[in-house]
Amino acid sequence: MEHRIDQLIEHCHVASMSGPGYGAIEDAALAVRAGTIAWVGPRAQAPRFCADEVFDAGGGWITPGLVDCHTHLVYAGDRAHEFEMRLNGATYEEIARAGGGIVSTVAATRAASQAELLEASSGRLARMVDEGLTTVEVKSGYGLDVDNELKMLRVARELGHRHAVRTVTTLLGAHALAPEYAGRQDDYVSLVCERMVPEAAAAGLADAVDAFCETIAFSPSQCERVFEAARRAGLPVKLHADQLSNLGGAALAAHHRARSADHLEYTDEAGVAAMAAAGTVAVLLPGAFYFLREKQLPPVDALRRHGVPIALATDSNPGSSPLLSPLLAMNMGCTLFRLTPQEALAGFTVHAARALGLTGQVGTITAGAWADLALWDVERPAELAYAMGAAPLHARWFAGVRDGAAQDARN
Ligand code: DI6
Ligand code: FE
């Protein structure tokens, strides 16, 4: 019997990221139907397909499309001037007085129209898509008032219509204290809990809620208030935890059944154990560690020992990680955090999907998942984390549609 499918991809190896050793299938075939993976396995075992289109992958490796599960891609302006001032010896105070720091991004983001914000963010996302990205999480957190936080989330949603990517939106109202609330931190947290969370949820603009738990941001008890507001609104939570100090953020996130706890440089063994028990994913962000020249390494061995899934992400943001390359983040995960290349790829696929609640839909090449795929000109999957600036992407599929396929058909 013949199986009708839309597309057969052959002459390839597949890193399915399901099972040990990259879930590798050498000399594979991959069948796509209705935007999803209908069949994948060794070519010799493939059933007889009747395909509308056959694609020759030229002997390259196919991985799941990359999933960046932690970004702050939507913002206006940049902080290059501040970077330059710092490297010319300016102090933190001088930079702050010159209008630098996170408040400068807040001012620029508030001043930008939705269209301007979309334009700026869209250019950044395009760079990531060019590297095989098919799913991206995007946080708010530079608006810090109801209208501007919702504006950021609308832009994040629109990015998904403008590009062939899935966007997952996260409300991060508790990112920094809005300048007009100076000295009134608890009042600002009330604004987040009583207005931002319910309004973003009611408008269907947020898929999750995040907070920045840090001495320079919000306290554990303030973050708990935000988590409770999220629960009332029916939204899952995640947390920027233990990036610069150990406030017990990982354990707090786990206690609230967070999908992920992110950063984790200062997380202790008890925090890791709590994450393991709760099924909370660890999201490591080597770009921020690198850019801030941090010294304290996240507890990678403890995460491994406790079996906590480790995701990796760019944390793309103007202040602490102006990074638009998932592949470079993978390289940094290996060089700085001593992840293996396989862990780095799992961090941008299967475990990133889990951090977003998308297990089984994206992040693995398995029957029933979306056919979000990246084809790479590499001899082995380890090359993806190994090379810096190599641009190995050969083709990309989003929901079974290959970039440029319509154009190819016209020519
Ligand atoms: N952690 C960080 O390092 C940044 N935000 C966060 O939650 C800093 C963001 C910025 O400086 O713009
Ligand atoms: Fe972040």
Side-chain angles (χ1 to χ4, degrees):
M1 180 186 131
E2 287 204 336
H3 298 261
R4 277 209 69 81
I5 56 169
D6 300 328
Q7 205 179 147
L8 180 67
I9 304 172
E10 52 181 25
H11 194 194
C12 61
H13 310 298
V14 165
S16 71
M17 304 316 286
S18 171
Y22 295 96
I25 307 165
E26 302 218 0
D27 194 7
L30 211 160
V32 176
R33 192 191 312 119
T36 62
I37 295 159
W39 190 90
V40 61
R43 191 170 53 97
Q45 292 170 23
R48 276 166 58 90
F49 289 116
C50 174
D52 291 345
E53 188 197 338
V54 176
F55 183 84
D56 181 336
W61 278 85
I62 297 181
T63 69
L66 300 183
V67 178
D68 192 341
C69 67
H70 181 142
T71 85
H72 309 248
L73 261 190
V74 173
Y75 59 85
D78 67 72
R79 307 249 282 278
H81 178 57
E82 182 182 321
F83 180 66
E84 186 160 40
M85 281 177 76
R86 240 187 318 131
L87 285 161
N88 280 296
T91 65
Y92 185 79
E93 285 70 32
E94 285 164 340
I95 290 167
R97 251 184 286 117
I102 198 164
V103 292
S104 73
T105 301
V106 172
T109 302
R110 285 177 172 182
S113 69
Q114 197 170 308
E116 289 164 342
L117 212 45
L118 178 63
E119 217 45 58
S121 314
S122 189
R124 288 188 282 269
L125 180 56
R127 299 280 69 76
M128 296 182 144
V129 168
D130 284 348
E131 260 195 13
L133 188 88
T134 50
T135 298
V136 65
E137 185 257 17
V138 182
K139 299 176 196 297
S140 66
Y142 291 116
L144 308 185
D145 62 31
V146 176
D147 288 350
N148 283 296
E149 285 293 301
L150 296 187
K151 177 177 78 178
M152 288 186 72
L153 293 174
R154 268 186 237 110
V155 170
R157 282 268 190 261
E158 273 188 57
L159 285 172
H161 303 307
R162 182 175 288 201
H163 296 265
V165 288
R166 282 166 225 290
T167 58
V168 176
T169 60
T170 301
L171 174 71
L172 178 58
H175 188 199
L177 184 63
E180 60 276 16
Y181 276 81
R184 296 186 294 134
Q185 257 218 345
D186 283 317
D187 291 344
Y188 179 71
V189 175
S190 298
L191 177 74
V192 173
C193 296
E194 288 160 25
R195 295 230 18 229
M196 286 181 198
V197 172
E199 290 184 30
L205 285 171
D207 300 316
V209 173
D210 193 352
F212 189 13
C213 185
E214 195 55 67
T215 45
I216 57 162
F218 297 93
S219 71
S221 63
Q222 289 169 332
C223 293
E224 267 198 296
R225 287 178 60 201
V226 175
F227 284 174
E228 276 151 21
R231 185 165 39 76
R232 285 194 295 277
L235 293 174
V237 298
K238 47 184 62 226
L239 191 68
H240 281 69
D242 309 331
Q243 180 187 4
L244 307 168
S245 62
N246 182 7
L247 294 185
L252 176 73
H255 181 70
H256 287 264
R257 303 256 149 206
R259 283 211 169 128
S260 69
D262 304 35
H263 285 289
L264 304 177
E265 278 81 347
Y266 285 83
T267 299
D268 57 21
E269 180 102 18
V272 173
M275 288 175 67
T280 298
V281 176
V283 179
L284 303 186
L285 304 165
F289 178 92
Y290 164 82
F291 199 73
L292 298 176
R293 308 181 77 235
E294 294 290 330
K295 297 286 176 287
Q296 171 84 22
L297 287 163
V300 170
D301 282 335
L303 292 168
R304 286 178 180 136
R305 256 189 289 111
H306 287 266
V308 176
I310 301 173
L312 265 185
T314 61
D315 196 15
S316 189
N317 78 70
S320 66
S321 186
L323 172 61
L324 297 173
S325 169
L327 294 179
L328 185 53
M330 281 167 53
N331 177 272
M332 289 176 175
C334 294
T335 52
L336 299 172
F337 295 166
R338 311 310 289 160
L339 297 181
T340 66
Q342 186 185 323
E343 286 174 321
L345 185 55
F348 262 99
T349 53
V350 57
H351 298 321
R354 179 171 295 277
L356 298 179
L358 295 176
T359 294
Q361 298 177 57
V362 303
T364 54
I365 301 180
T366 43
W370 286 110
D372 292 359
L373 308 167
L375 167 62
W376 310 94
D377 276 329
V378 297
E379 296 277 323
R380 51 185 64 79
E383 283 177 49
L384 298 176
Y386 158 76
M388 295 179 278
L393 187 74
H394 186 83
R396 194 194 74 116
W397 288 257
F398 179 70
V401 178
R402 184 167 48 84
D403 292 346
Q407 241 168 327
D408 295 353
R410 276 199 299 276
N411 294 341

